[in-house]
């Protein structure tokens, strides 16, 4: 829609404005590109959960086992229940469970369990037991 | 950008900084409720990537059209609109990154996927706010003698309703309370809410004389505006609400009748947003 009477008055676009729009466009393209890349590389609709023990330490409440639940899949898992058991000769001595709100895809979520018994002399088994779709 | 002095050709650095600051403020105003809503953060990392990408891409023409409608120079070119849209989107992204970082919602040891997801979903309302701020919150321009906005055409009004519906829809849709309301309501409640939504939409714009509302010319009967604007507007609002719910994955696994309820519930705030957009923008 040409407006000839104002064309002469319109100031030329300042280089700063060009720079700002270029930066804006770049940020947006990166964001969209990354998201599209994720969308296209989606393979599995199941989360792949595993649990790693990070460290065991002792405090006055008991023995703390810090762990991280990892999800290598493309889908987020919600309400992940992690169960930790101390075993002696194949029989459970102490059990604890933790519920994590979310373990996002390709990410981890941490937590801890407190045991009365010292995990050092016993066999610690820790695994993710169940999850829901977000 | 308008210069106060006739002599200077280009806006000064301080004028540009002011305009960018205003856009940043606008982005905040529109994005703050969502910025502090945990369901939005979670949606950032768990929502379907293809749907998120679609939303981000659809936002581009939306911003360009909005810039065209509300931009500084009402007779500006498409090029100007594209530049404004790029700046608005960029400022939206930056504003979100700043505040999510300060809140500790994104930390730099998180995987990139999580950071990008959380920022991306919030950048949509923030970018709309940034763009609106450049016109709504700005100083009045020299050529503001023309009181009627350039785009009071039919298509323009419908477009504005879409934008208003989108903003309020994005605010309300992520939360669990919306689903709870949908569960609590019976179909009779749903019908009542539809009637209320339509009535309020019509009333806000035509009947209760809000500033910015429309006077109808004497020879246009009330039902003409009602059918052409309000009813069509509500239909558009329903489509936008359904789109927002679908984007957030709230309609997956729902039967058709069960999906209608959340759409009706979301259409209520969205219709108020649509009416407000017509009044304000």
């Amino acid at each position: 829609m040409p407006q000839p009477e104002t064309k002469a008055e319109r100031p030329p676009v300042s280089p700063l404005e060009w720079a700002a729009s270029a930066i804006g466009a770049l940020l947006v393209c990166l964001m969209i590109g990354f998201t599209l890349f994720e969308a296209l590389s989606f393979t599995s609709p199941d989360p792949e959960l595993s649990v790693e023990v990070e460290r065991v330490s002792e405090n006055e409440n008991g023995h703390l086992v810090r762990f991280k639940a990892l999800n290598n899949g493309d889908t987020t898992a919600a309400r992940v229940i992690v169960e930790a058991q101390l075993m002696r000769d194949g029989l459970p001595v102490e059990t604890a469970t933790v519920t994590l709100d979310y373990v996002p895809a390709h990410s981890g979520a941490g937590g801890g369990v407190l045991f009365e018994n010292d995990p050092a002399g016993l066999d610690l088994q820790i695994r993710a037991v169940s999850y829901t779709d977000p | 950008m308008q210069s106060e002095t006739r002599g200077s050709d280009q806006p000064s650095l301080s004028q540009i900084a002011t305009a960018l600051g205003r856009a940043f403020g606008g982005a905040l105003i529109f994005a703050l409720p969502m910025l502090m809503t945990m369901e939005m953060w979670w949606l950032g990392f768990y929502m379907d990537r293809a749907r998120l990408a679609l939303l981000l891409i659809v936002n581009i023409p939306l911003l360009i059209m909005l810039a065209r409608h509300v931009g500084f120079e009402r007779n500006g070119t498409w090029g100007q609109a594209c530049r404004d849209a790029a700046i608005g989107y960029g400022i939206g992204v930056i504003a979100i990154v700043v505040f999510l970082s300060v809140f500790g919602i994104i930390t730099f040891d998180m995987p990139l996927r999580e950071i990008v997801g959380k920022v991306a979903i919030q950048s949509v309302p923030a970018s709309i706010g940034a763009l609106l701020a450049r016109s709504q919150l700005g100083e009045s321009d020299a050529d503001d003698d023309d009181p009627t906005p350039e785009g009071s055409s039919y298509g323009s009004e419908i477009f504005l309703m879409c934008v208003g519906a989108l903003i309020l829809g994005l605010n309300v849709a992520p939360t669990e309370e919306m689903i709870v309301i949908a569960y609590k309501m019976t179909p009779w409640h749903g019908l009542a809410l539809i009637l209320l939504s339509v009535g309020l939409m019509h009333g806000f714009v035509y009947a209760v004389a809000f500033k910015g509302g429309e006077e109808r010319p004497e020879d246009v009967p009330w039902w003409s505006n009602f059918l052409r604007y309000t009813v069509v507007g509500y239909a558009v609002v329903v489509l936008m609400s359904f789109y927002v719910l679908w984007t957030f994955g709230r309609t997956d696994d729902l039967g058709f009748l069960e999906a209608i309820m959340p759409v009706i519930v979301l259409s209520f705030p969205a219709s108020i947003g649509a009416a407000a957009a017509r009044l304000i923008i």
Side-chain angles (χ1 to χ4, degrees):
Chain A
M1 276 171 252
Q3 301 277 338
E5 68 275 21
T6 57
K7 224 176 161 85
E9 295 169 19
R10 190 178 302 141
V13 181
S14 82
L16 280 168
E17 197 174 326
W18 278 118
S21 29
I23 294 174
L26 181 67
L27 278 175
V28 170
C29 286
L30 285 176
M31 189 170 71
I32 294 180
F34 187 81
T35 307
L36 270 175
F37 169 71
E38 280 188 279
L40 294 171
S41 63
F42 181 85
T43 48
S44 77
D46 298 324
E48 289 167 26
L49 294 167
S50 58
V51 182
E52 281 177 3
V53 174
E54 286 183 341
R55 58 184 159 83
V56 180
S57 61
E58 192 175 327
N59 58 33
E60 63 268 12
N61 286 331
H63 300 267
L64 170 69
V65 174
R66 253 211 72 92
F67 65 87
K68 196 157 197 135
L70 299 168
N71 180 359
N72 280 318
D74 293 328
T75 308
T76 297
R79 295 222 289 273
V80 176
I81 296 183
V82 172
E83 188 184 70
Q85 282 194 321
L86 288 177
M87 318 272 278
R88 178 186 291 130
D89 302 326
L91 292 170
V93 169
E94 199 175 345
T95 307
T97 53
V98 182
T99 306
L100 300 166
D101 280 343
Y102 286 101
V103 184
H106 300 292
S107 308
V113 282
L114 291 162
F115 285 120
E116 282 180 356
N117 298 294
D118 188 349
L122 301 167
D123 188 18
L124 171 65
Q125 290 189 355
I126 186 165
R127 66 189 189 96
V129 173
S130 61
Y131 71 91
T132 66
D133 289 332
Chain B
M1 287 186 244
Q2 297 287 328
S3 317
E4 313 297 313
T5 58
R6 294 276 155 152
S8 61
D9 267 336
Q10 298 197 347
S12 68
L13 192 53
S14 79
Q15 281 176 312
I16 292 184
T18 311
L20 290 179
R22 203 158 60 223
F24 191 87
L28 268 189
I29 291 176
F30 276 71
L32 260 175
M34 286 166 273
L35 212 46
M36 299 176 99
T37 299
M38 57 191 184
E39 287 95 339
M40 271 304 241
W41 310 329
W42 297 337
L43 276 164
F45 63 65
Y46 78 66
M47 71 184 282
D48 182 274
R49 266 24 205 167
R51 297 181 194 189
L52 177 59
L54 180 66
L55 182 65
L56 298 174
I57 292 172
V58 159
N59 196 34
I60 296 176
L62 186 135
L63 288 178
I64 295 177
M65 291 214 293
L66 200 54
R68 191 95 168 87
H69 183 87
V70 302
F72 276 120
E73 298 169 63
R74 299 233 157 85
N75 50 357
T77 60
W78 285 104
Q80 178 71 35
C82 288
R83 278 195 297 278
D84 281 352
I87 296 178
Y89 213 158
I91 290 185
V93 170
I94 292 172
I96 297 298
V97 169
V98 165
F99 284 94
L100 286 183
S101 309
V102 166
F103 292 156
I105 306 302
I106 56 178
T107 59
F108 294 96
D109 60 335
M110 279 178 186
L112 192 60
R113 174 190 205 275
E114 194 172 333
I115 296 178
V116 172
K118 285 177 175 171
V119 171
I121 180 69
Q122 312 250 23
S123 69
V124 171
S127 59
I128 295 177
L131 213 50
L132 287 175
R134 282 159 69 92
S135 69
Q136 295 302 312
L137 307 178
E139 326 147 2
S140 52
D141 297 344
D143 56 88
D144 223 8
D145 316 323
D146 176 13
T148 56
E150 174 201 278
S152 0
S153 68
Y154 186 66
S156 228
E157 293 290 304
I158 303 291
F159 171 67
L160 288 180
M161 290 203 263
C162 282
V163 173
L166 185 65
I167 292 284
L168 261 93
L170 285 175
N171 266 290
V172 172
T175 63
E176 190 165 342
E177 286 85 347
M178 208 213 59
I179 308 278
V180 170
I181 293 175
Y183 287 155
K184 281 180 177 295
M185 284 171 56
T186 65
W188 293 112
H189 285 118
L191 280 172
L193 190 56
I194 295 177
L195 290 174
L196 263 179
S197 307
V198 172
L200 281 168
M201 263 184 95
H202 191 79
F204 267 40
V205 178
Y206 295 103
V208 297
F210 274 118
K211 186 165 186 266
E214 321 232 331
E215 293 279 334
R216 69 185 155 70
E218 289 304 318
D219 53 342
V220 177
W222 71 270
W223 49 262
S224 169
N225 279 332
F226 181 73
L227 280 174
R228 286 180 304 126
Y229 285 96
T230 303
V231 170
V232 171
Y234 188 70
V236 162
V237 161
V238 165
L239 288 174
M240 293 300 292
S241 302
F242 181 77
Y243 173 65
V244 170
L245 286 173
W246 174 82
T247 298
F248 291 162
R250 299 272 191 244
T251 57
D252 301 344
D253 307 326
L254 281 183
F256 184 71
L257 286 175
E258 286 70 39
I260 294 231
M261 254 337 194
V263 170
I264 295 178
V265 172
L266 189 60
S267 297
F268 164 61
S271 60
I272 304 295
R278 284 188 71 193
L279 291 175
I280 295 174
I281 301 179

